[in-house]
Amino acid sequence: MDCYTANWNPLGDSAFYRKYELYSMDWDLKEELRDCLVAAAPYGGPIALLRNPWRKEKAASVRPVLDIYSASGMPLASLLWKSGPVVSLGWSAEEELLCVQEDGAVLVYGLHGDFRRHFSMGNEVLQNRVLDARIFHTEFGSGVAILTGAHRFTLSANVGDLKLRRMPEVPGLQSAPSCWTVLCQDRVAHILLAVGPDLYLLDHAACSAVMAVSFTYRHLALFTDTGYIWMGTASLKEKLCEFNCNIRAPPKQMVWCSRPRSKERAVVVAWERRLMVVGDAPESIQFVLDEDSYLVPELDGVRIFSRSTHEFLHEVPAASEEIFKIASMAPGALLLEAQKEYEKESQKADEYLREIQELGQLTQAVQQCIEAAGHEHQPDMQKSLLRAASFGKCFLDRFPPDSFVHMCQDLRVLNAVRDYHIGIPLTYSQYKQLTIQVLLDRLVLRRLYPLAIQICEYLRLPEVQGVSRILAHWACYKVQQKDVSDEDVARAINQKLGDTPGVSYSDIAARAYGCGRTELAIKLLEYEPRSGEQVPLLLKMKRSKLALSKAIESGDTDLVFTVLLHLKNELNRGDFFMTLRNQPMALSLYRQFCKHQELETLKDLYNQDDNHQELGSFHIRASYAAEERIEGRVAALQTAADAFYKAKNEFAAKATEDQMRLLRLQRRLEDELGGQFLDLSLHDTVTTLILGGHNKRAEQLARDFRIPDKRLWWLKLTALADLEDWEELEKFSKSKKSPIGYLPFVEICMKQHNKYEAKKYASRVGPEQKVKALLLVGDVAQAADVAIEHRNEAELSLVLSHCTGATDGATADKIQRARAQAQKK
């Protein structure tokens, strides 16, 4: 353990700092880092290098090369820079490289050097050029801050949703500030800058040579021209400490180095060949830099890389300090010693274990070993600590295994991504802050699909969140391989994905279409089981006829209507109608749509198909819906009649002609008699004439339109009863023998509550309906006599059902006697 702590450096009495190597860099750089623009993403992210020939007149004609490497120095991309001079590089939270040019244009590249998009920081920046720039991160996303040649600041807090904000002018600023940075406080971006001895707070987060903001933007460090380093809160309202480094030369870089929840606040300051760690202590920690180095602030430390090495400097975690500190009697240290002695088969193991148990600290010891294992970088030390924790667990009855199991899983994942060929040197704290989902996304961005899938399967993540999502990303990458045929790519994707839940073939097809591979997109859509996902993309690809077929196959009428409306706008009228003719279901649905929305189009459809029957019906509806003048309505009906004749539907044609005659007659009646006759039915017209006292006109109308006598008698009977013209009704009943009989007269009169008139007609009712008529007028006794005379069981039962109360008792007895006699016979 003494050897293990050899690289520990104390900073005051409360903290130790250690620096260990992550990777031996093998990127074979031809230039020094000082000759390049450098950008390194946090959380073990990639490194971008762009040699800046614009600073050297001799090399101004040489086009620079933009190289992207993993944190281990493995090349990820290299491209010749063909755009304008670059002022600053930076990585977004999504690991996209932002390149800020002198003209204010920001070019965005992917991890593998693929160009994504570009945007401008505004006309003012274009006119005044860019002097300096910062890439910073907020809760809204990644932002860009620009210092222009006019010494004004412009920023956007989120490049994904670009909203430019021009900052207030600094009073008396005639030259570039000596240093500036961006702060984020209360969800608002501020710019802090130094002009001589004065500090100005304008309004946002990055690093500068003599000013440093902590990784969480909560603390600020300032380097003064007298060699003092001031550390305090970002609001400048509270000072944490102040340190005199006795060096007046401004450093190359200054970054914060603190682990989460640490009481120690430390800043790492780098000069050309010196690295200094300062904090709230009279002494500092100093390291000699053999090469030109670059600092990358992290959540719990600082990454330091040069041409040959990549190291990590951080505060020793509390659990590790407790266990490995020289002469430590912490429970974790004793448990580690007990486990080592147990492997040696020494009795000292029992002594150490008893000592821990007597103090009641065995649970704490196990937890310390588990926690310390998470903060170790070397697998051998991880295993040693976990073996100690496992050894201690054996002597605990109810120790929950979750923390031990999860730590084993997390360390296996971390060791896998820390591998030199992967090059993501995450610490345990960074991993927990980043989450497994984001780590998987970053593996996918690096196209490390097998490793990502293995991690998902190892952690048993749900398919939708894990394997399915990764396979979908793999498929989207696969469609970009233009050297492989469409058939082979589609087959390979289908064989790999199959019916994997959570995978959308339409999304993959959309990516293929975006890459210009339309035929591949169509082949992939064949594997998409949801028509609702197929159709929109087919429409976007201008494969409307295929989209229509898919929509019809789905049976979703809304989807069919969507395609039809798109086709209508895309094709000329003739081609559109011809397309519909080949799809009967679509044609039927479109007709239904036209009935409610586009009547003229519906007429054109019927004309094109020579559908005279439907065309006639269309003109009949049009005569009522659109025309107000009688002449126009008659003309429309005439057109309808002609269409029915062409359709060989003589009944419909004759009925239409009769309607035309009726309309003309109704107009004439209105002119001669007044009142409202138009749009009445034939029966209502006759009834209206009778009610108006125009009986002869009604009879003439009945003769003209061949209304049957029975129907005319019913109409006249009803109308006269409604008028209560009982005298005219009696005359009418005696005009000739009634074709409907006289029972209806009785019923109508009783309906009007006129029993007196009803009795007149009851005597004229035929024998077969005599009983019913007598019962209607209330003559139960006479109805009984008639029923007994007819000897009709049904009539007897009917009369008996009307016998109620004492008054009809004799009648009921008479009926019962008649029934008894009938039964004897």
Side-chain angles (χ1 to χ4, degrees):
M1 283 196 289
D2 294 342
C3 183
Y4 179 79
T5 60
N7 65 340
W8 288 21
N9 298 276
L11 185 65
D13 299 328
S14 60
F16 292 88
Y17 283 78
R18 66 180 175 184
K19 181 161 66 80
Y20 58 83
E21 183 177 293
L22 295 173
Y23 303 108
S24 176
M25 305 294 278
D26 191 25
W27 49 9
D28 191 25
L29 296 182
K30 297 179 181 179
E31 299 87 9
E32 294 289 340
L33 291 179
R34 71 172 71 91
D35 296 329
C36 302
L37 285 177
V38 183
Y43 295 100
I47 302 169
L49 299 178
L50 177 65
R51 185 183 176 190
N52 197 353
W54 304 288
R55 293 182 180 177
K56 295 185 177 181
E57 295 182 0
K58 294 182 180 179
S61 60
V62 179
R63 287 193 178 277
V65 176
L66 176 62
D67 293 310
I68 301 176
Y69 300 91
S70 70
S72 60
M74 295 286 289
L76 297 177
S78 180
L79 62 140
L80 192 66
W81 189 260
K82 298 181 181 180
S83 192
V86 178
V87 175
S88 180
L89 299 176
W91 291 92
S92 72
E94 295 79 18
E95 289 195 337
E96 290 182 327
L97 182 62
L98 308 180
C99 308
V100 184
Q101 296 188 155
E102 276 187 359
D103 59 1
V106 181
L107 281 65
V108 184
Y109 288 86
L111 197 64
H112 296 276
D114 51 310
F115 178 75
R116 299 287 177 83
R117 63 186 187 281
H118 76 281
F119 57 89
S120 174
M121 294 299 290
N123 290 328
E124 181 188 356
V125 177
L126 175 62
Q127 294 171 3
N128 296 305
R129 318 300 284 175
V130 177
L131 289 183
D132 199 2
R134 301 282 187 272
I135 311 297
F136 59 93
H137 306 291
T138 71
E139 59 189 76
F140 306 107
S142 301
V144 178
I146 298 290
L147 172 62
T148 68
H151 308 123
R152 297 291 301 272
F153 291 92
T154 299
L155 62 83
S156 172
N158 184 2
V159 297
D161 182 17
L162 193 66
K163 295 179 181 178
L164 298 178
R165 182 179 176 190
R166 187 182 181 188
M167 308 305 291
E169 189 173 353
V170 181
L173 184 61
Q174 300 298 324
S175 60
S178 55
C179 61
W180 64 280
T181 191
V182 187
L183 301 177
C184 293
Q185 297 176 344
D186 301 327
R187 305 181 68 180
V188 179
H190 308 273
I191 288 181
L192 179 67
L193 67 153
V195 181
D198 300 321
L199 288 176
Y200 292 91
L201 186 64
L202 297 182
D203 247 293
H204 244 116
C207 300
S208 62
V210 292
M211 189 179 294
V213 179
S214 68
F215 193 83
T216 58
Y217 303 128
R218 293 179 181 176
H219 300 95
L220 181 71
L222 304 173
F223 185 91
T224 67
D225 56 3
T226 58
Y228 276 86
I229 298 175
W230 181 93
M231 286 174 276
T233 60
S235 63
L236 302 176
K237 293 181 180 180
E238 180 183 351
K239 182 176 79 170
L240 298 176
C241 62
E242 194 173 79
F243 183 83
N244 184 5
C245 64
N246 296 318
I247 301 175
R248 296 200 174 194
K252 280 180 54 184
Q253 278 185 280
M254 186 168 68
V255 298
W256 282 82
C257 180
S258 295
R259 59 179 171 83
R261 296 184 297 279
S262 172
K263 297 180 181 179
E264 181 66 35
R265 298 285 182 260
V267 172
V268 179
V269 191
W271 286 271
E272 195 67 33
R273 288 290 182 264
R274 179 184 297 182
L275 192 73
M276 185 181 295
V277 183
V278 300
D280 189 10
E283 297 85 16
S284 63
I285 304 172
Q286 298 194 31
F287 300 93
V288 176
L289 298 176
D290 297 329
E291 296 178 294
D292 189 23
S293 301
Y294 188 85
L295 309 184
V296 184
E298 291 284 5
L299 174 69
D300 53 350
V302 178
R303 285 194 288 141
I304 308 165
F305 65 84
S306 63
R307 293 182 63 182
S308 59
T309 62
H310 195 160
E311 299 174 305
F312 185 65
L313 172 64
H314 73 128
E315 180 185 348
V316 177
S320 299
E321 183 180 340
E322 287 288 331
I323 293 175
F324 295 108
K325 190 165 56 176
I326 295 175
S328 172
M329 296 299 291
L334 294 176
L335 180 59
L336 182 61
E337 284 300 319
Q339 193 276 331
K340 289 182 178 179
E341 294 297 332
Y342 175 77
E343 288 186 347
K344 297 176 184 177
E345 299 182 358
S346 170
Q347 64 181 9
K348 289 183 179 180
D350 183 62
E351 295 175 6
Y352 287 131
L353 196 60
R354 286 182 182 275
E355 184 177 350
I356 301 171
Q357 288 177 322
E358 287 173 0
L359 296 173
Q361 295 178 333
L362 186 54
T363 301
Q364 181 183 352
V366 174
Q367 291 288 13
Q368 275 188 347
C369 289
I370 293 174
E371 184 179 349
H375 297 293
E376 292 302 319
H377 187 74
Q378 294 299 326
D380 290 341
M381 186 54 70
Q382 295 168 4
K383 292 177 182 178
S384 179
L385 288 164
L386 289 174
R387 276 196 296 266
S390 179
F391 176 71
K393 283 196 310 102
C394 296
F395 300 94
L396 291 171
D397 293 333
R398 297 181 179 179
F399 184 84
D402 294 350
S403 59
F404 181 82
V405 172
H406 291 160
M407 182 59 73
C408 292
Q409 292 176 334
D410 292 340
L411 286 176
R412 186 170 182 182
V413 171
L414 286 172
N415 291 334
V417 300
R418 288 170 181 168
D419 183 85
Y420 177 83
H421 296 92
I422 307 301
I424 305 179
L426 281 176
T427 64
Y428 180 76
S429 299
Q430 294 168 19
Y431 170 68
K432 285 301 177 183
Q433 180 73 16
L434 200 63
T435 73
I436 183 62
Q437 293 298 337
V438 178
L439 176 59
L440 291 173
D441 289 341
R442 298 197 169 187
L443 291 174
V444 166
L445 283 176
R446 288 162 173 75
R447 299 171 185 167
L448 300 171
Y449 305 109
L451 176 60
I453 290 175
Q454 286 177 352
I455 290 175
C456 291
E457 293 174 344
Y458 173 66
L459 296 178
R460 297 180 181 178
L461 297 178
E463 283 196 352
V464 175
Q465 300 176 12
V467 175
S468 296
R469 189 164 59 91
I470 294 166
L471 287 175
H473 281 287
W474 167 81
C476 291
Y477 165 67
K478 190 75 175 176
V479 300
Q480 301 175 36
Q481 298 178 340
K482 297 187 177 180
D483 55 333
V484 185
S485 68
D486 295 343
E487 189 70 35
D488 292 341
V489 171
R491 188 187 308 109
I493 290 175
N494 180 246
Q495 288 175 352
K496 180 71 71 174
L497 270 59
D499 297 328
T500 304
V503 175
S504 172
Y505 281 96
S506 61
D507 292 342
I508 304 169
R511 179 64 65 88
Y513 177 66
C515 296
R517 305 185 70 173
T518 304
E519 294 303 321
L520 174 58
I522 293 173
K523 292 180 183 296
L524 290 171
L525 281 177
E526 292 296 328
Y527 302 119
E528 175 58 60
R530 297 166 297 177
S531 299
E533 298 293 329
Q534 291 178 314
V535 170
L537 183 58
L538 288 171
L539 293 177
K540 185 178 178 181
M541 293 189 298
K542 300 188 183 303
R543 299 300 179 98
S544 304
K545 294 181 180 179
L546 180 57
L548 181 59
S549 299
K550 294 294 183 183
I552 291 172
E553 289 175 10
S554 72
D556 187 342
T557 55
D558 291 338
L559 201 59
V560 177
F561 277 128
T562 301
V563 180
L564 288 176
L565 294 177
H566 184 88
L567 278 170
K568 181 185 174 186
N569 295 327
E570 182 184 68
L571 304 176
N572 60 53
R573 198 176 186 85
D575 291 341
F576 177 59
F577 286 166
M578 288 301 296
T579 302
L580 291 181
R581 181 177 271 181
N582 296 327
Q583 297 286 357
M585 178 184 173
L587 179 59
S588 176
L589 288 173
Y590 188 65
R591 284 174 180 167
Q592 293 296 325
F593 169 79
C594 291
K595 283 181 181 179
H596 300 284
Q597 301 290 335
E598 299 178 3
L599 292 176
E600 286 302 314
T601 304
L602 182 63
K603 183 174 70 173
D604 293 341
L605 281 172
Y606 291 147
N607 277 323
Q608 188 181 43
D609 294 340
D610 293 332
N611 192 339
H612 300 294
Q613 176 65 35
E614 290 295 339
L615 197 58
S617 301
F618 170 82
H619 286 296
I620 287 178
R621 287 192 296 270
S623 71
Y624 285 93
E627 293 289 347
E628 294 183 359
R629 297 179 300 106
I630 186 66
E631 293 81 4
R633 294 177 64 180
V634 170
L637 289 172
Q638 183 61 58
T639 306
D642 294 341
F644 286 134
Y645 276 123
K646 290 179 181 178
K648 297 182 180 180
N649 188 343
E650 293 189 4
F651 173 79
K654 294 291 184 183
T656 306
E657 290 176 346
D658 288 343
Q659 180 63 20
M660 293 161 55
R661 288 171 52 211
L662 181 61
L663 280 175
R664 294 191 185 99
L665 178 60
Q666 287 173 338
R667 169 52 62 86
R668 191 161 61 249
L669 290 173
E670 284 187 355
D671 294 341
E672 295 176 0
L673 305 177
Q676 180 67 37
F677 286 95
L678 274 177
D679 292 328
L680 295 179
S681 67
L682 179 59
H683 290 177
D684 289 344
T685 304
V686 172
T687 301
T688 304
L689 287 171
I690 295 171
L691 291 174
H694 307 291
N695 293 315
K696 291 185 178 180
R697 289 266 189 153
E699 292 172 359
Q700 183 60 44
L701 182 62
R703 287 193 295 271
D704 290 344
F705 285 89
R706 300 177 183 176
I707 297 178
D709 283 349
K710 286 186 177 182
R711 197 177 305 165
L712 179 61
W713 273 68
W714 266 110
L715 293 173
K716 197 165 185 178
L717 169 61
T718 305
L720 292 174
D722 290 340
L723 286 174
E724 296 187 357
D725 190 350
W726 307 112
E727 184 179 349
E728 184 63 31
L729 181 60
E730 188 174 359
K731 290 180 180 178
F732 173 61
S733 69
K734 294 178 179 179
S735 62
K736 64 177 182 178
K737 185 180 180 180
S738 171
I740 59 174
Y742 291 96
L743 181 61
F745 284 81
V746 178
E747 293 173 339
I748 289 292
C749 290
M750 291 304 297
K751 189 177 180 180
Q752 297 292 336
H753 308 290
N754 193 333
K755 185 183 288 189
Y756 176 77
E757 291 294 330
K759 286 182 176 181
K760 291 181 180 179
Y761 302 107
S763 60
R764 301 170 62 181
V765 175
E768 67 279 358
Q769 295 178 328
K770 191 73 170 181
V771 172
K772 189 175 181 180
L774 290 171
L775 290 175
L776 284 173
V777 298
D779 196 344
V780 178
Q782 188 176 352
D785 292 339
V786 175
I788 292 171
E789 182 183 348
H790 291 171
R791 298 179 181 180
N792 188 310
E793 180 63 29
E795 290 180 349
L796 288 170
S797 299
L798 181 62
V799 174
L800 190 61
S801 66
H802 282 72
C803 293
T804 57
T807 55
D808 295 331
T811 303
D813 292 341
K814 186 190 297 186
I815 293 174
Q816 294 293 357
R817 287 195 299 270
R819 278 182 166 180
Q821 291 176 2
Q823 289 176 358
K824 289 179 181 180
K825 292 181 180 181

